[in-house]
Structures are given as structure tokens and as C-alpha cells.
Amino acid sequence: MSLPSQRREQHDRSAVTVLGLGPMGRALAGAFLAAGLRTTVWNRTPGRDRELVVRGAVGARSAEEAVSASALTVVCVVNYDAVDAILRPAAVTGALKGRTVVNLTADTPYRARDAAAWAAGHGVRYLDGAIMTPTVTIGTPDAILIYSGPEDLYREHRSVLDALGGTHTFLGEKICRAAAYDIALLDIFWTAMSGFNHALAVARAEGITARELAPFAAGIGAILPTIFSEVAEEVDQGTFSGEGNPLTSAASTMAHVIHASEAHGIDAGVMRAAEGLARQAIGLGHGAEGLHRVSELLRRAAALHKSRQD
Ligand code: NDP
């Protein structure tokens, strides 16, 4: 390697651009800065870079200027429509040619495939990824990030990405894999949080404060990891043991939640949907099995839907 290109590579490895300065983008840029990287930032709405610039970030005047400053650009905005709005204008795309984009924005696996195809068609090196933990974890051992796409790109930029702290997992070369994990994990998170918010409303209607309920809610959270492992084992084996808690019993307690909620005038739509699926499984003769039979029924319905489309 010649001396100038060696210098450029060293220079590039100590530089990163962050596009998108919402709460997560600011956390990412903050962690890069804290790790001593030359960090260039840009956001659609001006002014969001103020604190970062005070800390030493370079505030670019345009997305084009921002991506031109580093070999690696990390983009983290609300969804892939926003990513497209930032990266697809010709001047930005042109500036990105030969450079790497790591897209840490959340969206669907389909959009990840689309983004990769666009990147390939414009000479942009593209790695997809997702962040599985809140902003406060970024730059700490608690951060969890996942990636998929070309492994050589991941390895090449890993030392810079390491500045984000925590655990980084490369999930394979299939570009949509990180988004697929992200969707499945968000499914758990948002239904759990919807359940928690609903539970708080029901508890308060019963005269129980959120603070009083919280330690018991944490107890429910604590039993989930073991249940997740056991259920995962069975689902992969195609077994649906209901020993200890058959579907008939689960559906009955779901009905209690519905009745108690509706008696207070609290919408029980989420629980009604869950109970409806459990009752369907019971109707198909699976009453003695576990609630995870529902997951198999959903999977089969999806396979049927797909076969009808093909
Ligand atoms: P948001 O999801 O609200 O994203 C805000 C960012 O998106 C801002 O930079 C905003 O720019 C930009 N944006 C929105 N629409 C457009 C557009 N049309 N064109 C250009 N930019 C646009 O906040 P976060 O920063 O928290 O999240 C960013 C990503 O990180 C999301 O995909 C989210 O799911 C993911 N994530 C967030 C976590 C969190 O705890 N916050 C945790 C894990 C993942 P502007 O300021 O101009 O509006």
C-alpha cells in the first residue's frame, strides 16, 4: 500500500458520519465522539446538532457534505422512506459512490432488500442493521446491535462500530436478516408494552397505583426468559405441550381480563384478539396443548396464504 493511500485509510477509520439526529442518532454520534472518532453529523431539521458540535462534532450543511466527510456513514432515522429521502437525491448518491452506508434505521425486511438493491445499483456499499436497546445503552456494555449483509463490510467497519458499545452480532449475508430479527423482537416488545399499559389502566381502575403494581409486573417479566427458552425448544421440535397450563385454562384467564376491563369501560381489544386466537386453537381440538400452538396455527395460515398467492 502506498503511503498516501495508507494515510487515507487510517484517516477513514477514525472518521464516521451520522445522518439523522433524533434521540437515537444523537446517542450514536455521542458515542462515536466519546470514542475519539472524527464525527460529522447532519439532520433534516437544522439545529439538532448543537450539543454534538459543542462536544467536537462537525456539523455538515448538507447530507452530501456529510457523507463526503467519511468512508463510513451511519444512517438512523424514523423509517426507510426517510432514509430514501436523504440518500436518493442524485448529489448524495453520487457522493456515496464507493463509500459504505450502515443503515441502523428500523423498518421491514422487504425495505432492507429494496435498500440493498438500490445501493448495489449505485455503487454504494451497504450493510443493514438494527439497534435492539434504548438510547441510554448506546456506548455502554448494555447496547445490543445486529447486522446483516456483506460480511467483509461488517469486518471492515467493525472497529468503528465497536464505539457504540455492547454486543454486536453479525447475522449472516442475507440482507433482510437483521430487519427480520428486529421485527420479531419488536413484536414481543410492543405487545408486552401494550399489555403493561393496559394492565396499569385496569389496576388503577381497581384502586392499585402503578407503583404498587410495578414490582409484581417485574416478577412477570422475570419468568418470561425461561418460558421463552422452553417454548422455543418445543416450537422448533413441533411439540406443543400444555402440561401445567393448557389452552383451555389460558383462554379462561384471558376472559377474566376482558370481563374485568370492560366492566370498568376499558377497551379490551388486544386481549380479545389474543383470546380469539386461543379459542380458535381450542376449536381445532388443541385445548389440552399449550398457548404456543397459536404460533403454529399462525404460521400454517401464512403458508396457506402464500401458496394461494403463488
Ligand atoms: P425517530 O424514530 O423519531 O426518528 C427521528 C429522526 O428521523 C430525526 O432525525 C428526523 O429528522 C428523521 N426523519 C423523520 N422523517 C424524515 C424525513 N422524511 N426525511 C429525513 N429525516 C427524517 O427517533 P429515534 O432517533 O429515536 O429513532 C431512529 C431509529 O432508531 C428508528 O428507526 C427507531 O426505530 C430506531 N431505534 C430507536 C430506539 C430508541 O430508543 N429511540 C431504540 C432502538 C431503535 P427531523 O429532526 O428533521 O424530524
Side-chain angles (χ1 to χ4, degrees), residues 18-21 28 42-44 63-64 67 73-90 92-93 96 100-108 111-119 124-129:
V18 177
L19 300 178
L21 299 175
L28 300 175
W42 177 85
N43 189 65
R44 177 184 62 170
E64 181 192 354
V67 303
T73 288
V74 172
V75 58
C76 188
V77 286
V78 65
N79 55 32
Y80 280 36
D81 282 342
V83 173
D84 290 351
I86 296 169
L87 301 186
R88 295 197 186 197
V92 184
T93 305
L96 275 172
T100 301
V101 171
V102 175
N103 189 358
L104 295 180
T105 304
D107 211 312
T108 62
R111 294 302 297 266
R113 274 193 293 269
D114 180 56
W118 167 83
V124 179
R125 307 166 85 215
Y126 183 82
L127 188 69
D128 207 75

Side-chain angles (χ1 to χ4, degrees), residues 26 133 166 217:
R26 289 199 298 273
T133 48

Side-chain angles (χ1 to χ4, degrees), residues 88-158:
R88 295 197 186 197
V92 184
T93 305
L96 275 172
K97 203 168 166 70
R99 299 178 196 266
T100 301
V101 171
V102 175
N103 189 358
L104 295 180
T105 304
D107 211 312
T108 62
Y110 167 76
R111 294 302 297 266
R113 274 193 293 269
D114 180 56
W118 167 83
H122 291 85
V124 179
R125 307 166 85 215
Y126 183 82
L127 188 69
D128 207 75
I131 304 165
M132 302 319 312
T133 48
T135 53
V136 288
T137 64
I138 303 303
T140 80
D142 294 331
I144 298 178
L145 291 101
I146 54 180
Y147 306 90
S148 56
E151 185 165 5
D152 54 340
L153 267 193
Y154 173 66
R155 303 264 163 243
E156 186 180 326
H157 296 288
R158 176 66 207 263

Side-chain angles (χ1 to χ4, degrees), residues 40-308:
T40 302
V41 294
W42 177 85
N43 189 65
R44 177 184 62 170
T45 306
R48 302 251 152 87
D49 62 358
R50 219 161 277 140
E51 222 179 281
L52 291 161
V53 168
V54 169
R55 288 177 59 193
V58 178
R61 281 161 301 177
S62 67
E64 181 192 354
E65 186 182 301
V67 303
S68 303
S70 319
L72 170 64
T73 288
V74 172
V75 58
C76 188
V77 286
V78 65
N79 55 32
Y80 280 36
D81 282 342
V83 173
D84 290 351
I86 296 169
L87 301 186
R88 295 197 186 197
V92 184
T93 305
L96 275 172
K97 203 168 166 70
R99 299 178 196 266
T100 301
V101 171
V102 175
N103 189 358
L104 295 180
T105 304
D107 211 312
T108 62
Y110 167 76
R111 294 302 297 266
R113 274 193 293 269
D114 180 56
W118 167 83
H122 291 85
V124 179
R125 307 166 85 215
Y126 183 82
L127 188 69
D128 207 75
I131 304 165
M132 302 319 312
T133 48
T135 53
V136 288
T137 64
I138 303 303
T140 80
D142 294 331
I144 298 178
L145 291 101
I146 54 180
Y147 306 90
S148 56
E151 185 165 5
D152 54 340
L153 267 193
Y154 173 66
R155 303 264 163 243
E156 186 180 326
H157 296 288
R158 176 66 207 263
S159 60
V160 173
L161 297 168
D162 269 345
L164 302 175
T167 312
H168 298 248
T169 306
F170 178 70
L171 295 169
E173 298 235 339
K174 205 170 163 191
I175 194 74
C176 57
R177 201 142 170 93
Y181 270 72
D182 189 32
I183 286 294
L185 296 169
L186 287 172
D187 193 353
I188 300 169
F189 182 72
W190 289 122
T191 46
M193 289 310 293
S194 300
F196 183 51
N197 283 322
H198 193 267
L200 290 179
V202 176
R204 290 167 82 189
E206 291 286 346
I208 302 163
T209 66
R211 260 198 216 105
E212 283 171 325
L213 189 72
F216 293 91
I220 294 285
I223 63 174
L224 290 180
T226 307
I227 294 176
F228 285 171
S229 302
E230 288 171 0
V231 164
E233 202 61 40
E234 285 212 14
V235 166
D236 276 352
Q237 283 169 9
T239 56
F240 304 94
S241 144
E243 208 185 327
N245 193 7
L247 259 165
T248 45
S249 173
S252 166
T253 50
M254 289 178 186
H256 301 330
V257 177
I258 293 166
H259 297 150
S261 307
E262 290 178 352
H264 286 295
I266 295 171
D267 183 286
V270 173
M271 189 56 81
R272 275 201 176 277
E275 193 225 10
L277 289 169
R279 297 262 178 231
Q280 257 182 47
I282 294 168
L284 290 167
H286 302 297
E289 297 181 344
L291 181 63
H292 46 305
R293 169 56 82 173
V294 165
S295 146
E296 177 63 8
L297 294 181
L298 290 169
R299 188 192 66 79
R300 275 202 214 151
L304 190 65
H305 175 74
K306 191 164 185 304
S307 73
R308 281 192 188 131

